Amino acid sequence: MNEIAIKTNNLTKVYKNFWGRPRVRALNRLNLEIHRGEIFGLLGPNGSGKTTAVKLLLGLLFPTYGNSRVLGAPAGDVRTYQKIGFLPEESYFYRFLNAEEILDFYGRLFGIPKKERLKKSEELINLTGLADAKKRRLGEYSKGMARRIGLAQALINDPELIFLDEPTSGMDPIGCREIKDIVLDFKRRGKTTLLCSHLLADVEDVCDRVAILHKGNLIKMGAVNDLLTIKDIIQFSIKTPSEEALSRIKTVLNKESEVVEINHPAETMEELFLETIKEADKN
């Protein structure tokens, strides 16, 4: 089996004005390889090209030039849609339906048999924490609850590849943690996840690798740990030293206290992100 879930080759999108003249280059020569089974974060400020990239990969837009492949087929190939789940930034559902009805509706669109559909809907309602609200109309849901049912809908077909755009938007800290745990479980089950988020702490918590886009350009990409580790500084963590040990730490550390950990300190994803964008603006 091909180990590459998503591959782009100079993927470019230029939006044109009424007269067909180039107006804005939303995405410029994007080259990515996303491996099967990994959680990949796509970061960038508003207007950086994240949404354009996702729409190109889903076949909702056509590239100006360049190309991409998704699950071994050209982007937009209808044969791959059964294997893809998508949670957009804003989900629009029939407000008069409840959670059970909306999942049944989307399950029918995928041609899932009734018995399996009902079982899958119940599992997803429980997974996303909506068991107590499954009979309520979606029009009464809060934004956080709407994100939960949107995630359940994205998983109704048990996809191999999942696109998540701001999955924790509008959620409280507990809800955010629950959603992140669900995303981490995707990895344990061998699924591939492309995550777009403005909440950098979420990306730092769950992603294996990230790419930072700015003004349509790929500025930086790599493993989260590699990008955040400050390699020219070594950090010592020691367990409850005495005041005397603190004053003599440089010379008698091993005699005075237990060394719990020695590693490289890391900056936060937010620090890396802001620094990368600041440097990009200078060039």
Side-chain angles (χ1 to χ4, degrees), residues 123-153:
E123 289 175 352
L124 290 172
I125 286 171
N126 291 329
L127 177 69
T128 54
L130 290 172
D132 292 337
K134 63 182 180 181
K135 298 295 185 181
R136 289 174 57 185
R137 293 193 306 169
L138 301 190
E140 300 173 0
Y141 276 18
S142 66
K143 184 174 182 179
M145 295 170 69
R147 299 308 285 160
R148 290 173 184 268
I149 193 61
L151 178 60
Q153 175 270 315

Side-chain angles (χ1 to χ4, degrees), residues 191-242:
K191 298 181 182 297
T192 307
T193 306
L194 177 59
L195 172 65
C196 298
S197 180
H198 290 104
L199 300 177
L200 302 178
D202 289 353
V203 174
E204 185 177 350
D205 285 346
V206 303
C207 289
D208 300 307
R209 293 191 299 141
V210 298
I212 298 178
L213 301 180
H214 184 49
K215 296 180 180 178
N217 295 296
L218 176 60
I219 304 300
K220 186 169 290 190
M221 181 171 61
V224 171
N225 289 337
D226 291 342
L227 292 175
L228 298 183
T229 298
I230 304 171
K231 295 182 174 60
D232 59 349
I233 299 175
I234 293 180
Q235 178 175 282
F236 291 84
S237 298
I238 61 176
K239 185 176 181 180
T240 58
S242 66

Side-chain angles (χ1 to χ4, degrees), residues 53-87:
V54 169
K55 288 182 177 180
L56 288 167
L57 292 172
L58 289 170
L60 302 176
L61 291 176
F62 296 102
T64 304
Y65 53 86
N67 57 75
S68 58
R69 297 185 68 82
V70 177
L71 298 178
D77 190 320
V78 295
R79 293 172 294 181
T80 65
Y81 286 161
Q82 287 275 37
K83 305 175 183 179
I84 293 174
F86 176 42
L87 173 64

Side-chain angles (χ1 to χ4, degrees), residues 233-265:
I233 299 175
I234 293 180
Q235 178 175 282
F236 291 84
S237 298
I238 61 176
K239 185 176 181 180
T240 58
S242 66
E243 289 297 327
E244 181 183 3
L246 282 174
S247 67
R248 302 167 56 195
I249 194 74
K250 292 184 180 180
T251 57
V252 294
L253 177 62
N254 289 320
K255 296 180 180 180
E256 297 291 339
S257 184
E258 176 187 358
V259 178
V260 176
E261 185 178 16
I262 299 176
N263 62 12
H264 297 282

Side-chain angles (χ1 to χ4, degrees), residues 93-132:
F93 296 119
Y94 295 107
R95 294 171 56 85
F96 54 86
L97 297 181
N98 62 36
E100 292 178 320
E101 292 167 338
I102 201 70
L103 293 180
D104 184 70
F105 172 76
Y106 280 100
R108 291 170 65 185
L109 290 180
F110 278 105
I112 301 173
K114 182 176 181 180
K115 185 175 180 180
E116 181 183 347
R117 196 166 67 232
L118 294 175
K119 179 181 177 182
K120 187 68 175 177
S121 296
E122 190 69 19
E123 289 175 352
L124 290 172
I125 286 171
N126 291 329
L127 177 69
T128 54
L130 290 172
D132 292 337

Side-chain angles (χ1 to χ4, degrees), residues 137-206:
R137 293 193 306 169
L138 301 190
E140 300 173 0
Y141 276 18
S142 66
K143 184 174 182 179
M145 295 170 69
R147 299 308 285 160
R148 290 173 184 268
I149 193 61
L151 178 60
Q153 175 270 315
L155 302 177
I156 191 66
N157 58 323
D158 194 20
E160 294 179 23
L161 173 62
I162 306 159
F163 291 83
L164 301 177
D165 196 351
E166 303 292 344
T168 60
S169 176
M171 289 191 175
D172 59 31
I174 295 175
C176 289
R177 182 67 263 172
E178 291 173 348
I179 296 302
K180 287 189 284 188
D181 286 342
I182 292 172
V183 173
L184 289 170
D185 189 57
F186 294 160
K187 180 178 176 65
R188 288 188 285 269
R189 295 164 59 192
K191 298 181 182 297
T192 307
T193 306
L194 177 59
L195 172 65
C196 298
S197 180
H198 290 104
L199 300 177
L200 302 178
D202 289 353
V203 174
E204 185 177 350
D205 285 346
V206 303

